[in-house]
C-alpha cells in the first residue's frame, strides 16, 4: 500500500447534495467571513474597516454527457462537499450558484461558483 503521509495537493473530489461531478481543476474555496481594508489619511494610518464576505467553493468541471449545465444554475440551498488530497474536507451548506455558467467547448469545461453564509474546513 502506498504511503500518502506527505501528500498535500494534486487531487480532489466534489459532490453537491451527494452527486459527484467530474472536477477538471481550479478547485478553490474561502472560509473568510470578513474582509478588512486599512483606512489611511494624509496624516497616517487611522485604522481599518471591515465588510462581510460571502464564503465560497468554486471549481472547473468537465461537461460530460451526463451533466446538464442548466442544473447548476438552478442550484439553491445545496450542500457542497470537497475532499482534498491533504485529508481536509470542505463543506458549504445552504449554498447557491452565482455568476453565469458558461461552457468552454474546446476543453469541455464549465466554471461554477457557490456562495453561502459559511464554509467550514474539517
Amino acid at each position: 500500500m502506498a504511503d500518502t503521509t506527505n501528500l498535500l495537493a494534486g487531487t480532489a473530489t466534489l459532490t453537491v447534495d451527494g452527486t459527484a461531478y467530474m472536477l477538471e481543476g481550479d478547485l478553490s474555496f474561502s472560509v473568510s467571513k470578513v474582509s478588512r481594508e486599512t483606512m489611511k489619511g494624509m496624516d497616517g494610518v487611522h485604522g481599518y474597516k471591515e465588510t462581510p464576505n460571502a464564503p465560497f467553493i468554486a471549481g472547473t468541471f468537465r461537461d460530460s454527457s451526463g451533466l446538464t449545465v442548466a442544473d447548476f444554475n438552478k442550484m439553491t440551498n445545496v450542500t457542497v462537499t470537497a475532499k482534498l488530497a491533504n485529508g481536509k474536507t470542505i463543506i458549504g451548506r445552504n449554498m447557491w450558484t452565482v455568476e453565469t455558467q458558461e461552457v468552454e467547448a474546446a476543453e469541455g469545461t464549465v466554471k461554477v461558483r457557490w456562495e453561502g453564509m459559511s464554509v467550514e474546513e474539517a
Side-chain angles (χ1 to χ4, degrees), residues 14-21 61 71-72 75-82 92 95 97 112 114:
L14 186 134
T15 62
V16 179
D17 286 343
T19 300
Y21 291 93
F61 300 88
D71 287 346
F72 283 125
M75 290 181 180
T76 59
N77 199 31
V78 297
T79 298
V80 181
T81 305
M95 302 195 85
T97 53
V112 183
W114 293 268

Side-chain angles (χ1 to χ4, degrees), residues 9-84:
T11 60
T13 60
L14 186 134
T15 62
V16 179
D17 286 343
T19 300
Y21 291 93
M22 294 173 65
L23 182 61
E24 187 271 339
D26 296 330
L27 178 66
S28 60
F29 67 94
S30 173
V31 299
S32 299
K33 293 187 178 191
V34 297
S35 290
R36 292 183 193 92
E37 181 181 335
T38 301
M39 303 295 292
K40 302 175 271 188
M42 294 177 68
D43 58 348
V45 175
H46 297 162
Y48 67 93
K49 72 176 182 178
E50 191 171 271
T51 55
N53 257 359
F56 73 87
I57 299 173
T60 302
F61 300 88
R62 192 67 66 194
D63 184 20
S64 64
S65 62
L67 176 74
T68 303
V69 176
D71 287 346
F72 283 125
N73 194 250
K74 296 175 188 174
M75 290 181 180
T76 59
N77 199 31
V78 297
T79 298
V80 181
T81 305
K83 295 184 185 264
L84 309 181

Side-chain angles (χ1 to χ4, degrees), residues 99-119:
E99 304 170 353
T100 302
Q101 296 79 43
E102 300 174 357
V103 174
E104 296 291 336
E107 294 296 323
T109 58
V110 57
K111 291 181 180 182
V112 183
R113 180 180 172 114
W114 293 268
E115 293 183 355
M117 301 296 184
S118 71
V119 171

